[in-house]
């Protein structure tokens, strides 16, 4: 699965509570202290989208977004890194297929290289043997 499709699945299926739990945060009544500014009150609100608690908005600092945006903000990373981090941390395996395909392709390329190398070595050995026969006669 490509990164955009994986991001769509994550946004549609992963609850915000699960993501904040990865960082040791908890929300009471879908509210929590915002980790992105010096917050004393629970100004970060978790909201629903399509029946899932998968978005957030801080009324103190104005930051908001999806579960992926939260990870990007918390880790200071880019979109792709955040998607990979969520996929790995939650063991979703969304990006594993692409990695497996890449590994299989590399293995096939290596096997093809090995066969070519074996053929070359056999040809080289035969040519060396023929030259040895010519020069020893």
């Amino acid at each position: 699965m490509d990164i955009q499709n994986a991001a769509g699945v994550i946004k549609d299926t992963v609850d915000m509570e699960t993501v904040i739990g990865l960082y040791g945060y908890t929300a009471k009544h879908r509210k929590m202290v915002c980790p992105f500014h010096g917050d004393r009150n629970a100004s970060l609100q978790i909201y629903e989208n399509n029946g899932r608690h998968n978005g957030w908005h801080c009324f103190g600092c104005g930051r908001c977004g999806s579960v992926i945006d939260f990870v990007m903000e918390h880790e200071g990373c880019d979109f792709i890194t955040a998607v990979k981090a969520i996929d790995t941390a939650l063991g979703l395996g969304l990006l594993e297929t692409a990695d497996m395909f890449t590994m299989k392709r590399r293995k096939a390329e290596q096997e093809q290289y090995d066969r070519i190398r074996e053929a070359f070595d056999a040809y080289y050995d035969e040519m060396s043997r023929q030259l040895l026969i010519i020069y020893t006669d």
Side-chain angles (χ1 to χ4, degrees), residues 44-130:
L44 189 141
Q45 175 76 41
I46 295 170
Y47 61 86
E48 285 188 35
N49 185 17
N50 299 326
R52 308 285 272 158
H53 298 151
N54 60 358
W56 59 282
H57 182 267
C58 177
F59 293 96
C61 66
R63 291 183 175 113
C64 61
S66 69
V67 292
I68 296 170
D69 295 312
F70 185 88
V71 173
M72 289 170 56
E73 195 73 38
H74 199 278
E75 296 292 328
C77 65
D78 64 2
F79 178 81
I80 293 171
T81 304
V83 171
K84 288 179 179 179
I86 294 169
D87 183 56
T88 302
L90 299 179
L92 301 175
L94 300 173
L95 300 171
E96 197 170 274
T97 306
D99 291 339
M100 293 294 237
F101 176 76
T102 301
M103 288 173 48
K104 286 180 182 178
R105 190 184 79 232
R106 285 184 184 155
K107 183 178 179 186
E109 289 171 352
Q110 183 63 44
E111 289 171 354
Q112 183 179 18
Y113 171 80
D114 291 344
R115 286 192 302 273
I116 292 169
R117 184 69 189 185
E118 286 173 11
F120 174 79
D121 288 344
Y123 176 77
Y124 181 80
D125 290 345
E126 181 61 24
M127 289 297 108
S128 296
R129 192 179 68 73
Q130 292 294 329

Side-chain angles (χ1 to χ4, degrees), residues 5 13 22 29 42-43 47 51 65 68 81-82 93 99 109 114 131 137:
N5 288 332
T13 61
L22 293 172
H29 307 289
S43 61
Y47 61 86
I68 296 170
T81 304
D99 291 339
E109 289 171 352
D114 291 344
L131 284 173
D137 285 339

